[in-house]
Amino acid sequence: MTYNVGTGPGEITPDGCAVDFYALLPPMGEPEVVHAAVPQGASILELGCGTGRILRPLADLGHPVLGVDESPAMLAHCTDLPTACAAIETLRLDRRFDAVLLASTMLNTEPAQRRAFLATCRRHVDPQGVVVIQQSAPSWFDTVAPSEVEHGGIRRVVRSVRRDGPRADVVVAYHVGDRTWTHAWDSYRISQEELTADLAAAGLRFGRWLTDDHAWFTAGPVALPSP
Ligand SMILES: C[S@@+](CC[C@H](N)C(=O)[O-])C[C@H]1O[C@@H](n2cnc3c(N)ncnc32)[C@H](O)[C@@H]1O
């Protein structure tokens, strides 16, 4: 079972993200990780770009970008960026990019959707290009627990965590001033064997870890046999 539910003011996306919350959330180092992993001026396709929180700084760093998201309300915050409103799983753009970005731990969705996301990455990456992925750090699955942290005016409260095999069901509340959003979602731990197999099934090969916590990594396209 997969469940993703959000509550709070404003529109909530089908995967439970609060649009107004993402619109005020600043980037937290993600653009720098991606920028360092791709060539100068590389074109970047972000799958699940939301309000452009990561994509906008990448455009400012000189990358031609395209953001894809299924939520028109999220994309309404991206009028300064090229975007397409579409589901990632069925996306078929008639072009390839130097880099395809799948950030924001979207890889930790349920396994069938994960494989569909990876196939979309493969369909849109240049033969010499790179896929950049952010997953939940493997150690997060062992350590996530009810907790509270405040940063930059955002109070993040992990209300509950329930573990079931590889899956963690997490409920988080975000408090900003007098506004509160909640997000309940399930996150699937991905073993190294599964990751290798799912990448291979999509026609991708693991590249390298970008961060010591193994949250960020690259993958590259495997040459397809000629027909
Ligand atoms: C967790 S938010 C991250 C947004 C952005 N990457 C960020 O970090 O600010 C996930 C975004 O992906 C979009 N999304 C989730 N599943 C999707 C799908 N299957 N197809 C297209 N967009 C999807 C949601 O609408 C949401 O905007």
Side-chain angles (χ1 to χ4, degrees):
M1 180 201 79
T2 186
Y3 82 107
N4 295 285
V5 183
T7 66
E11 191 146 337
I12 306 290
T13 62
D15 68 335
C17 295
V19 175
D20 291 0
F21 173 69
Y22 271 88
L24 58 77
L25 191 64
M28 290 174 285
E30 301 95 336
E32 289 77 11
V33 174
V34 179
H35 182 60
V38 305
Q40 201 74 24
S43 58
I44 299 178
L45 168 69
E46 186 184 2
L47 304 174
C49 66
T51 59
R53 186 179 70 88
I54 302 173
L55 202 57
R56 186 169 296 102
L58 288 168
D60 292 343
L61 286 164
H63 297 283
V65 300
L66 178 67
V68 167
D69 204 287
E70 67 184 353
S71 162
M74 284 286 193
L75 295 181
H77 289 272
C78 296
T79 50
D80 55 327
L81 297 170
T83 59
C85 189
I88 295 167
E89 296 90 323
T90 51
L91 187 71
R92 280 183 165 73
L93 299 170
D94 192 18
R95 63 180 280 212
R96 289 175 183 263
F97 295 78
D98 300 319
V100 178
L101 171 61
L102 183 67
S104 318
T105 72
M106 292 175 66
L107 190 70
N108 296 97
T109 186
E110 55 94 18
Q113 191 173 40
R114 173 172 81 221
R115 293 179 195 120
F117 285 176
L118 290 173
T120 298
C121 292
R122 176 66 179 85
R123 276 199 299 281
H124 294 89
V125 70
D126 184 84
Q128 311 303 322
V130 62
V131 178
V132 180
I133 297 176
Q134 180 191 25
Q135 65 170 344
S136 291
S139 60
W140 176 85
F141 288 91
D142 301 318
T143 56
V144 63
S147 55
E148 190 169 327
V149 62
E150 171 127 21
H151 186 72
I154 300 172
R155 190 156 58 91
R156 183 178 190 274
V157 179
V158 177
R159 284 190 179 167
S160 67
V161 178
R162 195 166 58 87
R163 292 179 171 80
D164 184 4
R167 203 184 77 212
D169 301 335
V170 183
V171 181
V172 173
Y174 303 102
H175 304 277
V176 181
D178 59 0
R179 290 181 291 175
T180 295
W181 293 273
T182 69
H183 193 184
W185 80 96
D186 46 17
S187 191
Y188 285 74
R189 187 199 285 258
I190 310 167
S191 70
Q192 192 58 39
E193 296 71 32
E194 268 179 295
L195 182 61
T196 303
D198 287 353
L199 288 172
L204 294 167
R205 183 184 296 130
F206 180 83
R208 65 189 174 97
W209 298 114
L210 297 173
T211 53
D212 290 342
D213 63 359
H214 291 190
W216 287 88
F217 63 94
T218 65
V222 177
L224 297 172
S226 15

